């Protein structure tokens, strides 16, 4: 049992320490990225942007931000429920259930349908949508933040209709269907967004797409620059707190494991010293006693074989009972068997943990 506890402490401490390191890397990455975003130039879809790109090597900015209004490039997606058009539409059909786990009911969801429609679109300086200086967005599905921030155009929950018999059976088997939720979200034409990525010229048209370097993130968001920076800083603080908690937990578990190991080693060392003292005392006692010749061929000359079977060691049934197990006080074993008992040592009679042994004296 003690070895099992040590393994649990070791594994838990190691996992917590690794988790603390991963969370620290996330904290450091979010903090550094927040600082990096502050330095990114914010461009507008105008003549200055095109001039800046033409002055760059290979007509490309490795990482920049473009702020503008969303507009499709000739073909749009239409909402099924509202008279609005946009450039991205996500429809989801989700089944909601309640499941009984260990006597407690918890909510669960299952996606029955998840469709994403996207059409080519660009960013414009103003809502007049002058196509002369637009910036076309490449592969918007790969951008972060965008799909989570799209406008909700439809949200309907249809409760599941069940008979009393079905309700009873569902509760008996521990799974109840609560209903179906249908949602529709869109990135509507005219939405103002801030996009971070690689800005480049291709056949005279400015485009924005995923960065080529892994250290940069492809972001399209409805948040302002200040809100985005605060979001990264808030995430970095959260990861920092979680990292500290995991480090303290992992360190505490490893310290506890080390203390258990040290305590056990000290107990074994103390018991070894006790056994040596008892062994010397028994040898000294035997040297002062007159022994028959038949008793001189013992295995360990640390005690005499008592002709009375009741005084024999309960483990080997050969040597005398020579030591007292404390705190239970049972005189049950010889010195050799007491020393051979596995750690943590337990009394052979009552199975109580033995704190120490002392020599037994007979009148």
């Amino acid at each position: 049992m003690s070895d099992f506890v040590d393994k649990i402490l070791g594994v838990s401490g190691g996992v917590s320490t690794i988790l603390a390191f991963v969370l620290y890397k996330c904290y450091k990455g979010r903090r550094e990225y927040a600082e990096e975003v502050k330095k990114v130039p914010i461009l507008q879809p105008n003549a200055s942007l095109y001039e800046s790109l033409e002055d760059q090597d290979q007509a490309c900015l490795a990482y920049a931000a473009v702020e503008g209004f969303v507009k499709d490039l000739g073909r749009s997606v239409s909402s099924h429920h509202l008279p609005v058009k946009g450039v991205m539409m996500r429809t989801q059909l989700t089944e909601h259930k309640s499941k009984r786990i260990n006597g407690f009911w918890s909510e669960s969801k299952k996606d029955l349908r998840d469709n994403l429609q996207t059409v080519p679109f660009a960013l414009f300086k103003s809502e007049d949508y002058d196509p002369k200086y637009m910036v076309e967005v490449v592969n918007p599905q790969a951008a972060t933040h965008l799909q989570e921030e799209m406008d909700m155009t439809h949200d309907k929950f249809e409760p599941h209709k069940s008979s009393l018999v079905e309700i009873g059976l569902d509760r008996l088997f521990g799974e109840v269907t609560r209903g179906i939720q249908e949602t529709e979200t869109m990135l509507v034409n005219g939405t103002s967004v801030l996009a971070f990525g690689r800005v480049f010229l291709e056949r005279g048209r400015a485009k924005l797409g995923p960065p080529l370097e892994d250290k940069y993130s492809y972001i399209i968001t409805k948040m302002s620059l200040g809100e985005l920076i605060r979001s990264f800083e808030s995430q970095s603080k959260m990861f920092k707190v979680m990292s500290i908690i995991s480090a303290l937990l992992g360190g505490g578990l490893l310290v506890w494991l080390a203390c258990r190991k040290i305590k056990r080693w000290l107990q074994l060392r103390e018991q070894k010293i006790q056994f040596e003292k008892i062994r010397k005392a028994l040898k000294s006692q035997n040297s002062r006693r007159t022994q028959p010749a038949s008793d001189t061929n013992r295995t360990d000359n640390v005690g005499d074989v008592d002709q009375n079977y009741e005084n024999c060691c309960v483990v080997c049934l050969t040597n005398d009972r020579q030591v007292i197990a404390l705190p239970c006080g049972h005189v049950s074993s010889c010195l050799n068997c007491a020393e051979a008992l596995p750690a943590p040592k337990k009394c052979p009679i009552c199975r109580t943990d033995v704190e120490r042994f002392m020599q037994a004296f007979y009148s």
Side-chain angles (χ1 to χ4, degrees):
M1 181 63 182
S2 179
D3 290 339
F4 177 75
V5 173
D6 289 348
K7 290 179 181 179
I8 293 295
L9 290 175
V11 171
S12 300
V15 170
S16 297
T17 304
I18 294 173
L19 181 60
F21 176 76
V22 172
L23 291 172
Y24 174 77
K25 295 291 288 184
C26 292
Y27 150 71
K28 189 176 180 180
R30 290 295 190 281
R31 187 187 63 180
E32 291 177 352
Y33 198 75
E35 295 298 324
E36 189 70 28
V37 167
K38 294 178 182 178
K39 305 174 184 177
V40 174
I42 307 296
L43 307 174
Q44 301 291 332
N46 53 24
S48 298
L49 184 147
Y50 277 75
E51 292 173 359
S52 299
L53 290 175
E54 291 171 354
D55 292 339
Q56 299 294 322
D57 185 26
Q58 299 181 352
C60 173
L61 290 171
Y63 198 63
V66 178
E67 187 174 24
F69 294 91
V70 170
K71 179 68 171 67
D72 63 85
L73 297 178
R75 183 169 60 91
S76 62
V77 292
S78 300
S79 170
H80 298 132
H81 306 276
L82 294 177
V84 294
K85 294 184 177 181
V87 296
M88 292 184 69
M89 182 173 69
R90 184 178 186 183
T91 57
Q92 293 178 288
L93 196 64
T94 306
E95 182 181 36
H96 292 257
K97 289 186 176 183
S98 293
K99 291 186 177 181
R100 185 174 58 207
I101 302 176
N102 298 326
F104 296 95
W105 289 90
S106 61
E107 297 294 326
S108 65
K109 297 180 182 180
K110 180 181 178 182
D111 289 333
L112 303 179
R113 186 181 69 227
D114 190 350
N115 294 330
L116 179 65
Q117 292 179 263
T118 306
V119 296
F121 68 93
L123 301 181
F124 296 80
K125 181 181 178 181
S126 60
E127 295 186 29
D128 57 7
Y129 305 123
D130 182 5
K132 186 176 181 180
Y133 298 116
M134 69 180 185
V135 177
E136 184 179 348
V137 178
V138 180
N139 193 16
Q141 301 94 324
T144 61
H145 292 73
L146 180 58
Q147 295 187 34
E148 293 79 10
E149 297 178 7
M150 291 194 298
D151 297 322
M152 181 70 68
T153 54
H154 179 70
D155 187 359
K156 181 181 179 181
F157 181 80
E158 187 69 32
H160 181 69
K161 297 179 181 179
S162 303
S163 64
L164 293 177
V165 175
E166 290 176 332
I167 293 174
L169 290 175
D170 288 341
R171 290 193 172 276
L172 179 64
F173 289 106
E175 184 173 285
V176 178
T177 301
R178 305 186 66 86
I180 303 294
Q181 183 180 18
E182 183 182 10
T183 59
E184 179 188 86
T185 56
M186 293 184 64
L187 180 60
V188 181
N189 282 332
T191 302
S192 176
V193 299
L194 183 63
F196 291 80
R198 184 172 69 98
V199 184
F200 57 96
L201 281 178
E202 185 177 280
R203 297 178 182 178
R205 176 180 291 184
K207 295 187 178 183
L208 181 142
L212 298 180
E213 299 183 39
D214 293 337
K215 66 178 181 178
Y216 296 128
S217 296
Y218 188 26
I219 301 173
I220 302 177
T221 177
K222 292 166 61 178
M223 293 186 287
S224 65
L225 180 61
E227 290 173 336
L228 184 63
I229 292 173
R230 286 193 293 271
S231 173
F232 282 125
E233 290 176 344
S234 176
Q235 292 177 16
S236 70
K237 291 178 182 177
M238 180 187 65
F239 282 124
K240 181 180 181 180
V241 172
M242 294 173 63
S243 174
I244 292 173
I245 293 175
S246 297
L248 291 176
L249 179 60
L253 290 173
L254 293 177
V255 169
W256 187 10
L257 176 62
C259 290
R260 284 173 60 89
K261 292 288 187 181
I262 293 173
K263 182 179 179 181
R264 192 171 305 147
W265 179 81
L266 291 175
Q267 288 177 343
L268 293 175
R269 184 172 178 272
E270 183 179 355
Q271 288 177 356
K272 185 176 180 180
I273 295 174
Q274 291 172 3
F275 288 134
E276 289 298 327
K277 290 182 179 179
I278 295 173
R279 190 182 301 278
K280 290 180 181 179
L282 289 174
K283 286 183 178 180
S284 177
Q285 178 182 339
N286 291 341
S287 65
R288 294 194 299 267
R289 294 173 54 186
T290 303
Q291 299 182 359
S294 59
D295 289 342
T296 59
N297 295 326
R298 274 196 134 148
T299 304
D300 193 15
N301 287 336
V302 295
D304 299 328
V305 176
D306 198 311
Q307 298 301 322
N308 187 353
Y309 181 78
E310 293 181 355
N311 288 334
C312 288
C313 170
V314 298
V315 180
C316 65
L317 300 178
T318 302
N319 296 331
D320 292 340
R321 303 184 186 190
Q322 299 166 327
V323 293
I324 304 173
L326 298 176
C328 65
H330 286 122
V331 183
S332 58
S333 62
C334 65
L335 180 62
N336 291 338
C337 292
E339 193 170 8
L341 289 174
K345 297 183 184 296
K346 296 182 180 293
C347 174
I349 294 179
C350 66
R351 308 304 297 166
T352 301
D353 289 337
V354 179
E355 295 180 0
R356 64 190 183 93
F357 290 95
M358 65 177 296
Q359 182 183 356
F361 295 92
Y362 296 94
S363 56

